[in-house]
């Protein structure tokens, strides 16, 4: 700044002296006078024919005088630029004016006088411009004035011209004298200026040096400050990078935390009690939005929490809010789609107010439904483990005891503390235990399970028969981790089997053999005949009009009457004879026939024992009549089924003739019914004329309460007789071989229809198809089943074959092999009419079956009979122990249905559920169920 000031001062000192500084008034007066002169000139020569040169000169004069005058009044920066050319403008104006004068016409003396006066005025006003400029202005004016005076008309006098010139010269001399004073003074001024200039130069140099020093110091400070700023900037960048890395780490950590929380299925909660704000993560839509008010949280919990759990949840939260507890954990149920779902909330008071009340609570929620279910299953399993009557034990992979239940210690007599950690071989007292268990564990390693009967000894006690079952439990790599075993006392089981055998083979009402035992005895009699050539006779007795007794006296009186009939018959036979109740009011007797034995007299004795004396039923006496039929083996047949049929035909003939009589089978009975022959003939045509159709009788799943399976039954829609019952033609078809064609027809139609209903969305329906003994023996049965399944597209697991016990009587080993071959396809096997056939308990241990179907004989009036309930319960227990499903056939009312459900039956079939339906009606039923 000092240099700038100094430079300005120097500039002012050495400004051109020939151009003085003019005031505003001096400048305006000078140029205004010239402008007036130009306008006067133009007005004076307006009417005359002035030359164009004179006109142009005056116009140019106006412009040259008007421009500086306009600039003088201007407020812009043009005046500074104008001062550089201003010394030349007055001279140019005077020259232009003189040029115009010389080119103007001659003037009168008066006009010349005016213009001379104006010239004097302009010369006078030009004096402030200094001597030099004034001479430059005055010289052209003086010449032009002399020219005007010389050319004036008339010419001015010499005295006048001399006076004008003298005035101008005097004015010039005066101006020169005036200017020489400043010139004389200028030498002293110059000396002073030189001294001042030297001082200024010295000051300038001093200031330059100071400035250079200051610049160096400032430059050093700038460099130092720049270095500091660079270091600060580097540190700042490092801090920014550090903060960025920390921020990235925090984001990654938060992301990992969020992902971990989501993966752990936890919900986070943050309750700011003082502010009334509640934050929660997206855990479950039941709990509402992420941000809620305290009031909204309380109302939400009231709405979704189980009423029995809400009070506990409320009290727990209140304890935390009051500051009574720091940590809390509470389990409660919430309503989810009409089901109650278990949740667990854990929280901690993280901030307290001045009153030691909770100000902020943070915690988590989690879904513990599976844990609750698993704990319940574990508790139930442990309860079963502890309370089951079977002995249960667990061995490690080295066959050492890890755990046993109470029943095991009771059965074996071992104390718990004495066997845990001991090897099985060290505890067992089975004879030749080393060899026995070596085989057992070899089988376990090979097959994964073993079961069988062992002779075991109680600790410090006697030997007993022990049924043992052991299974291998493997780890994830397939290695043996544990052995789980089950033992039971076979002595107790044998007593149960004997009791069950009695219940299954003897009629609970009359204590006579039932149909099952009777069938077994028939088979044994046939075997005796085949081995010892001992013939026997079948005597069948049917009480006439017994239904009338039921309707007149009721079921209790009818049962009592049957008991009295059984007593009389029992007293009329020998011990070796077999007497059985084979139907509701039908009895039969198997009697050996020696050469001297007269079977008719024997039948008459039985007949008279029933009919001669009246029966006392309370206050009433009743006289019975009965129809008796006799068939003999081998006189009439060598087949027990045919023998039974011939005996039944003889009874039918006796009834046909009015009853209360004895009929011996003869050849005429083979043609007893022409209808049978007509049926056989028309049945063959029915197969070709599409008169056969399949009806379906539903089975109700008692656990699900749904119809998930049904039995396929053949029906014959005769063109004249209408719908013919299968009882009228199935037996005939069995005899003449048509049963195979009928069976194939039912099998194919049932598979096709079941697959169609499955495809219509009625569920995984299963169908049962009856298989006759004759079909079971056919070599092409498996191929027929495979073809039916393949053509229909039905999954084999939804097909079940039903066999009656009579179909299993001849060759158990052969039947077992054939059924195993069929089950390889994937189908299931059911035993129909269980409890009425051949040796039920014995064949169940050998045959590959899936379902037991209790015969309707045990279901009819079951709600009134404790014995029938006991038999049914025994069958259910038997089926459950063998892992078989149990179907009860013949349920007729709701009481029976409820009782069967209570006894543990899996399925129920009977008219109370539904009668057999055509496929259209069955489809309607399935549609109603699906809706």
């Amino acid at each position: 700044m000092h240099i700038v000031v100094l430079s300005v001062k120097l500039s002012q000192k050495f400004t051109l002296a020939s151009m003085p500084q003019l005031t505003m008034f001096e400048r305006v007066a000078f140029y205004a006078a010239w402008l007036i002169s130009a306008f006067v000139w133009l007005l004076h020569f307006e009417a005359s024919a002035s030359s164009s040169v004179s006109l142009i000169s005056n116009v140019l004069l106006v412009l040259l005088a008007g421009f500086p005058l306009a600039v003088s009044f201007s407020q812009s920066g043009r005046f500074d630029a104008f001062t550089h050319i201003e010394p030349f403008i007055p001279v140019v104006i005077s020259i232009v004016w003189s040029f115009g004068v010389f080119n103007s016409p001659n003037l009168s003396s008066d006009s010349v006088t005016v213009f001379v006066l104006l010239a004097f005025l302009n010369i006078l006003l030009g004096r402030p411009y200094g001597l030099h400029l004034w001479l430059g202005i005055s010289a052209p004016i003086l010449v032009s004035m002399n020219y005007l005076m010389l050319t004036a008309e008339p010419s001015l006098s010499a005295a006048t011209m001399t006076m004008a010139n003298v005035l101008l010269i005097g004015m010039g001399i005066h101006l020169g004298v005036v200017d020489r004073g400043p010139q004389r003074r200028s030498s002293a001024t110059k000396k002073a200026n030189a001294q001042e200039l030297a001082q200024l130069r010295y000051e300038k140099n001093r200031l330059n040096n100071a400035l250079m020093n200051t610049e160096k110091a400032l430059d050093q400070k700038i460099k130092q400050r720049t270095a500091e700023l660079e270091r600060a900037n580097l540190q700042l960048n490092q801090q920014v990078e550090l903060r960025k890395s920390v921020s990235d780490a925090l984001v990654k950590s938060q992301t990992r935390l969020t992902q971990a929380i989501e993966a752990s299925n936890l919900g986070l909660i943050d309750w700011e009690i003082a502010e009334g704000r509640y934050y929660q993560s997206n855990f479950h839509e039941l709990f509402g939005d992420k941000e809620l008010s305290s009031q909204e949280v309380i109302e939400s919990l009231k709405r979704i929490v189980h009423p029995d759990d809400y009070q506990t949840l409320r009290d727990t939260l209140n304890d935390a809010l009051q500051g009574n507890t720091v940590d809390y954990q509470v389990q409660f149920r919430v309503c989810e789609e009409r089901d109650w779902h278990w949740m667990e909330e854990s929280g901690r008071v993280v901030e307290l107010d001045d009153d030691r009340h909770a100000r902020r609570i943070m915690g988590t929620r989690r879904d513990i439904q599976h844990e609750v279910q698993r704990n319940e299953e574990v508790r139930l399993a442990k309860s079963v483990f502890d309370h089951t009557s079977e002995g249960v034990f667990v061995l490690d992979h080295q066959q050492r005891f890890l755990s046993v239940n109470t029943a095991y210690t009771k059965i074996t007599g071992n104390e718990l503390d004495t066997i845990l950690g001991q090897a099985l071989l060290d505890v067992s007292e089975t004879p030749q235990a080393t060899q026995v268990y070596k085989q057992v564990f070899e089988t376990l390693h090979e097959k994964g399970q073993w079961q069988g009967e062992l002779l075991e000894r109680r600790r410090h006690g006697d030997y007993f028969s022990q049924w043992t079952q052991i299974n291998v439990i493997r780890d994830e790599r397939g290695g043996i981790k544990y052995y789980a075993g089950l033992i039971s006392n076979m002595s107790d089981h044998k007593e149960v089997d004997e009791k069950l055998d009695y219940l299954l083979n003897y009629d609970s009402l009359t204590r006579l053999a039932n149909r099952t035992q009777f069938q077994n005895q028939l088979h044994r009699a046939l075997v005796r005949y085949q081995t010892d050539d001992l013939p026997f006779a079948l005597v069948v007795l049917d009480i006439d009009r017994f239904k009338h007794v039921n309707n007149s006296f009721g079921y209790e009186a009818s049962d009592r009457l049957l008991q009295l009939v059984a007593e009389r018959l029992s007293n009329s036979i020998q011990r070796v004879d077999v007497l059985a109740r084979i139907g509701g009011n039908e009895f039969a007797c198997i009697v050996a026939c020696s050469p001297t034995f007269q079977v008719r007299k024997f039948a008459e004795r039985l007949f008279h024992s029933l009919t001669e004396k009246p029966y006392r039923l309370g206050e009433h006496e009743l006289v019975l009549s009965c129809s008796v039929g006799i068939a003999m083996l081998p006189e009439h047949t060598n087949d027990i089924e045919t023998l039974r049929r011939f005996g039944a035909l003889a009874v039918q003939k006796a009834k046909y003739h009015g009853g209360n009589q004895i009929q011996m089978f003869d050849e005429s009975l083979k043609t007893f019914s022409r209808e049978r022959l007509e049926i056989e003939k028309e049945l063959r045509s029915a197969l070709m004329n599409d008169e056969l159709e399949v009806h379906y009788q539903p089975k109700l799943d008692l656990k699900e309460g749904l119809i998930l399976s049904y039995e396929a039954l053949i029906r014959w829609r005769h063109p004249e007789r209408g719908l013919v019952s299968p009882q009228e033609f199935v037996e005939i078809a069995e005899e003449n071989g048509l049963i195979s064609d009928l069976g194939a027809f039912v099998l194919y139609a049932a598979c096709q229809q079941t697959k169609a209903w499955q495809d219509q969305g009625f569920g995984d329906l299963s169908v049962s198809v009856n298989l006759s003994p004759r079909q079971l023996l056919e070599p092409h049965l498996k191929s027929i089943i495979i073809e039916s399944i393949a053509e229909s597209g039905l999954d084999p697991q939804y097909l079940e074959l039903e066999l009656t016990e009579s179909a299993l009587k001849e060759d158990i080993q052969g039947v077992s092999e054939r059924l195993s071959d069929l089950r390889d396809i994937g189908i299931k096997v059911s035993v129909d009419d269980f409890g009425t056939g051949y040796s039920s308990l014995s064949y169940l241990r050998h045959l590959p079956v899936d379902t037991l179907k209790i015969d309707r004989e045990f279901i009819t009036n079951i709600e009134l009979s404790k014995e029938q309930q006991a038999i049914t319960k025994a069958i259910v227990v038997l089926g459950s122990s063998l892992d078989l499903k149990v179907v009860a056939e013949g349920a007729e009312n709701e009481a029976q249905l409820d009782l069967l459900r209570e006894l543990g039956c899996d399925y129920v079939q009977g008219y109370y559920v539904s009668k057999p339906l055509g496929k259209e009606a069955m489809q309607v039923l399935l549609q109603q169920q699906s809706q």
Side-chain angles (χ1 to χ4, degrees):
M1 290 297 295
H2 297 291
I3 296 175
V4 174
V5 172
L6 183 61
S7 299
V8 171
K9 289 181 179 180
L10 290 174
S11 298
Q12 292 174 351
K13 281 287 183 179
F14 294 102
T15 302
L16 184 62
S18 61
M19 178 61 194
Q21 294 294 328
L22 276 69
T23 64
M24 181 70 175
F25 173 79
E26 292 172 339
R27 185 178 285 108
V28 171
F30 177 77
Y31 289 112
W34 278 111
L35 194 62
I36 292 171
S37 298
F39 280 114
V40 170
W41 188 281
L42 289 175
L43 291 174
H44 180 77
F45 295 106
E46 180 180 7
S48 63
S50 300
S51 66
S52 59
V53 175
S54 178
L55 180 61
I56 292 173
S57 297
N58 281 280
V59 171
L60 183 60
L61 181 64
V62 171
L63 294 175
L64 290 174
F67 173 71
L69 189 62
V71 170
S72 298
F73 290 100
S74 174
Q75 299 297 325
S76 64
R78 293 176 182 178
F79 184 80
D80 296 333
F82 170 73
T83 56
H84 296 290
I85 63 173
E86 186 180 8
F88 305 101
I89 292 177
V91 177
V92 173
I93 290 175
S94 65
I95 292 172
V96 171
W97 188 81
S98 298
F99 188 75
V101 169
F102 284 109
N103 288 283
S104 63
N106 295 328
L107 300 175
S108 63
S109 57
D110 295 334
S111 296
V112 170
T113 301
V114 172
F115 283 107
V116 169
L117 292 176
L118 288 174
F120 274 109
L121 178 62
N122 290 329
I123 291 172
L124 182 63
L125 293 175
R127 185 178 178 279
Y129 283 93
L131 178 62
H132 299 91
L133 288 179
W134 181 81
L135 291 176
I137 296 170
S138 301
I141 296 174
L142 181 61
V143 174
S144 59
M145 286 176 57
N146 288 310
Y147 175 76
L148 286 176
M149 287 186 294
L150 290 176
T151 59
E153 293 180 358
S155 299
L156 294 176
S157 64
T160 303
M161 293 179 61
T162 300
M163 186 185 308
N165 286 302
V166 170
L167 288 175
L168 289 174
I169 293 170
M171 186 179 297
I173 292 171
H174 173 74
L175 183 60
V177 173
V178 174
D179 287 342
R180 276 197 300 269
Q183 286 178 0
R184 284 194 298 267
R185 289 190 299 269
S186 65
S187 61
T189 302
K190 286 181 180 179
K191 185 177 181 180
N193 287 341
Q195 293 177 354
E196 185 178 358
L197 181 61
Q199 182 66 28
L200 289 174
R201 285 174 180 174
Y202 170 79
E203 187 70 21
K204 177 182 178 182
N205 291 332
R206 187 183 66 79
L207 290 176
N208 283 335
N209 292 332
L211 182 61
M212 289 178 64
N213 294 331
T214 303
E215 286 179 352
K216 289 180 180 180
L218 181 62
D219 186 60
Q220 186 66 25
K221 289 183 179 180
I222 289 174
K223 289 181 179 180
Q224 183 179 358
R225 185 58 179 166
T226 301
E228 292 176 355
L229 289 176
E230 288 177 351
R231 287 194 298 271
N233 186 49
L234 178 61
Q235 293 177 354
L236 181 61
N237 289 335
Q238 291 175 347
Q239 291 180 358
V240 169
E241 290 295 329
L242 179 61
R243 290 189 177 185
K244 184 176 182 300
S245 62
V246 171
S247 177
D248 293 341
L250 287 174
V251 171
K252 291 180 181 179
S253 177
Q254 184 177 5
T255 302
R256 286 194 295 268
L257 177 61
T258 302
Q259 293 173 346
I261 291 173
E262 292 177 352
S264 64
N265 294 322
L266 287 177
L268 300 183
I269 58 174
D270 186 356
W271 192 357
E272 297 177 352
I273 294 94
E275 291 76 11
R277 293 193 297 266
Y278 191 92
Y279 303 91
Q280 57 186 356
S281 61
N282 287 331
F283 172 60
H284 200 294
E285 60 182 6
L286 283 176
F287 293 97
D289 298 331
K290 284 187 176 181
E291 296 188 13
L292 299 171
S293 66
S294 298
Q295 185 63 31
E296 289 174 336
V297 172
I298 296 172
E299 292 176 356
S300 174
L301 293 177
K302 285 182 179 180
R303 185 176 65 258
I304 65 175
V305 176
H306 194 286
D308 295 341
D309 301 334
Y310 178 75
Q311 184 174 357
T312 303
L313 175 62
R314 182 194 62 192
D315 294 343
T316 302
L317 292 178
N318 283 337
D319 286 342
L321 292 173
Q322 294 297 323
N324 297 331
T325 179
V326 176
D327 298 312
Y328 70 89
Q329 186 178 81
V330 61
Q331 296 177 354
F332 54 89
R333 289 163 290 177
V334 296
C335 184
E336 181 181 16
E337 296 180 357
R338 301 183 180 179
D339 292 328
W340 293 104
H341 217 68
W342 279 99
M343 299 287 177
E344 181 181 81
E345 181 174 317
S346 301
R348 169 173 289 183
V349 179
V350 298
E351 197 174 327
L352 296 172
D353 59 16
D354 296 337
D355 296 330
R356 307 298 296 173
H357 293 164
R359 182 180 181 83
R360 185 179 183 186
I361 294 176
M362 298 186 71
T364 60
R365 286 198 187 108
R366 66 188 185 100
D367 188 336
I368 60 170
Q369 179 67 22
H370 295 301
E371 292 182 18
V372 172
Q373 292 178 347
R374 184 173 62 252
N375 293 339
E376 181 63 21
E377 291 172 358
V378 170
R379 187 194 64 77
L380 181 60
K382 186 177 186 307
S383 178
V384 172
F385 180 84
D386 293 337
H387 297 94
T388 182
S389 60
E390 309 290 343
V392 182
F393 64 92
V394 180
L395 307 176
D396 63 12
H397 67 284
Q398 295 182 340
Q399 304 164 20
R400 294 175 301 191
F401 282 94
L402 294 177
S403 177
V404 298
N405 66 347
T406 305
Y408 184 89
T409 60
K410 290 182 179 179
I411 293 174
T412 62
N414 291 297
E415 296 294 333
L416 181 64
D417 296 337
T418 62
I419 60 176
L420 292 182
Q422 298 295 318
L424 177 61
L425 276 175
D426 296 338
V427 176
S428 175
E429 296 189 30
T430 297
Q432 299 180 344
T434 302
Q435 293 83 354
V436 170
Y437 281 108
K438 180 181 179 182
Q439 295 179 0
V440 168
F441 283 101
E442 286 177 354
T443 303
L444 285 170
H445 290 171
E446 180 181 352
K447 298 182 178 180
Q449 62 177 356
W450 179 89
Q451 61 180 356
E453 187 174 349
L454 298 176
L455 184 63
E456 189 58 82
R457 184 180 180 182
R458 291 183 178 88
R459 187 174 181 82
H460 308 305
D462 55 347
Y463 285 95
F464 68 97
S465 178
Q466 174 183 290
W467 179 261
T468 305
Q469 179 177 343
I470 305 176
N471 292 280
V472 171
I473 300 176
R474 300 186 181 275
D475 57 22
E476 296 80 1
R477 294 173 293 183
I480 296 178
K481 190 173 185 180
Y482 303 111
Y483 298 94
L486 183 72
I487 67 170
S488 58
N489 190 342
M490 292 295 292
S491 301
D492 297 335
H493 282 224
K494 288 180 179 179
E495 294 177 1
V496 174
D497 287 344
E498 290 175 359
K499 184 175 182 180
L500 180 60
D501 183 71
Y502 177 82
L503 293 174
L504 294 176
N505 289 282
Y506 290 90
D507 179 52
S508 59
L509 179 63
T510 62
R511 300 185 181 276
L512 300 177
N514 60 13
R515 186 183 298 176
T516 301
Q517 179 66 5
F518 177 71
Q519 187 72 17
N520 292 338
Q521 293 300 330
L522 271 179
H523 181 74
R524 293 174 184 174
L526 176 63
V527 172
R528 284 196 300 269
Y529 165 72
Q530 293 172 345
T531 56
D532 301 332
D533 196 22
L534 181 61
F536 63 92
L538 173 63
V539 180
V540 183
L541 302 93
D542 190 289
I543 300 173
D544 297 332
R545 296 175 295 279
F546 188 76
K547 184 177 181 180
H548 178 71
V549 177
N550 279 331
N551 295 335
S552 301
F553 299 98
Y555 289 107
E556 292 185 3
S558 299
D559 290 344
R560 178 56 184 160
L561 178 60
L562 291 174
Q563 291 174 344
L564 295 174
V565 169
E567 290 177 4
R568 292 189 183 187
L569 291 175
S570 298
N571 294 331
S572 301
I573 62 173
Q574 300 178 6
R575 184 178 296 273
V576 295
D577 299 330
V578 178
L579 178 64
R581 180 189 178 199
I582 60 175
N585 59 325
E586 188 176 12
F587 298 84
C589 184
I590 304 172
V591 57
C593 298
S594 64
T596 59
F597 181 75
Q598 297 181 3
V599 66
R600 189 171 185 86
K601 287 186 176 181
F602 174 78
E604 289 176 354
R605 186 168 73 243
L606 297 180
F607 177 78
H608 291 305
S609 68
L610 295 181
T611 60
E612 285 185 351
K613 295 180 180 180
Y615 296 86
R616 187 77 182 181
L617 297 178
E619 299 178 355
H620 303 279
E621 285 189 354
L622 180 65
V623 177
L624 294 181
S625 66
C626 67
S627 298
V628 181
I630 303 172
M632 302 180 66
L633 187 147
E635 181 178 341
H636 299 140
T637 181
N638 289 324
D639 178 74
I640 58 176
E641 289 296 327
T642 305
L643 183 68
R644 288 190 61 181
R645 183 167 56 85
F646 286 172
L649 285 175
V651 171
Q652 290 178 16
K653 183 177 180 180
K655 288 184 174 293
Y656 180 77
H657 289 289
N660 201 31
Q661 57 182 279
I662 301 173
Q663 287 288 338
M664 177 75 73
F665 177 80
D666 55 32
E667 290 298 322
S668 63
L669 287 178
K670 293 181 179 180
T671 59
F672 175 72
S673 177
R674 293 182 180 179
E675 182 180 359
R676 293 170 61 88
L677 297 176
E678 292 294 328
I679 289 175
E680 180 178 352
K681 176 183 177 181
E682 294 174 354
L683 186 58
R684 295 182 183 275
S685 301
L687 283 168
M688 296 181 293
N689 297 334
D690 294 332
E691 297 175 9
L692 299 176
E693 58 188 45
V694 178
H695 285 203
Y696 303 90
Q697 186 170 22
K699 299 177 186 178
L700 178 64
D701 188 326
L702 292 178
K703 293 180 180 179
E704 300 293 335
L706 299 173
I707 295 172
L708 302 177
S709 59
Y710 41 80
E711 181 180 1
L713 302 171
I714 192 169
R715 293 292 185 267
W716 180 8
R717 193 168 296 279
H718 195 279
E720 297 178 358
R721 286 187 258 177
L723 198 63
V724 180
S725 173
Q727 284 79 7
E728 298 181 30
F729 63 90
V730 170
E731 187 177 353
I732 297 174
E734 184 78 28
E735 293 175 3
N736 59 25
L738 289 175
I739 192 66
S740 298
D741 295 332
L742 296 182
F745 168 78
V746 174
L747 183 64
Y748 180 83
C751 290
Q752 291 282 348
Q753 188 60 63
T754 300
K755 178 59 177 174
W757 283 335
Q758 288 181 354
D759 293 342
Q760 293 177 28
F762 295 147
D764 296 331
L765 301 174
S766 300
V767 61
S768 301
V769 178
N770 290 291
L771 194 66
S772 69
R774 185 161 184 167
Q775 286 179 278
L776 188 60
L777 298 175
E778 289 182 355
H780 303 298
L781 175 62
K782 184 175 181 180
S783 61
I784 293 173
I785 295 174
I786 293 175
E787 182 179 354
S788 298
I789 292 174
E791 290 187 10
S792 64
L794 182 68
D795 193 319
Q797 65 174 322
Y798 299 121
L799 175 62
E800 184 179 71
L801 300 180
E802 286 191 8
L803 294 91
T804 60
E805 290 189 67
S806 61
L808 312 173
K809 69 181 187 302
E810 295 294 340
D811 183 10
I812 295 179
Q813 185 63 31
V815 170
S816 177
E817 292 175 358
R818 285 189 288 274
L819 291 180
S820 297
D821 189 32
L822 292 177
R823 289 187 77 206
D824 291 340
I825 304 173
I827 64 175
K828 295 181 174 61
V829 176
S830 172
V831 178
D832 197 9
D833 300 334
F834 181 77
T836 62
Y838 170 76
S839 187
S840 304
L841 289 179
S842 62
Y843 72 70
L844 283 180
R845 300 180 64 181
H846 301 283
L847 293 178
V849 297
D850 304 280
T851 306
L852 299 180
K853 195 170 184 181
I854 305 174
D855 186 70
R856 65 178 62 251
E857 175 183 340
F858 301 110
I859 306 303
T860 303
N861 300 326
I862 187 174
E863 71 274 22
L864 305 175
S865 173
K866 297 294 184 181
E867 291 80 2
Q868 289 177 239
Q869 295 176 21
I871 293 174
T872 302
K873 180 63 177 178
I875 295 174
V876 171
V877 172
L878 177 65
S880 178
S881 63
L882 296 176
D883 199 22
L884 303 177
K885 297 294 184 181
V886 179
V887 181
E889 183 181 13
E892 303 295 341
N893 54 58
E894 187 174 0
Q896 294 178 358
L897 186 69
D898 294 339
L899 181 58
L900 292 171
R901 181 184 289 109
E902 181 180 345
L903 292 176
C905 284
D906 299 298
Y907 302 93
V908 166
Q909 183 180 6
Y911 270 50
Y912 184 73
V913 177
S914 175
K915 66 179 182 180
L917 303 172
K919 63 179 181 180
E920 294 81 8
M922 184 65 185
Q923 180 164 324
V924 171
L925 181 61
L926 293 175
Q927 288 174 341
Q928 293 174 350
Q929 175 177 271
S930 64
Q931 294 173 357

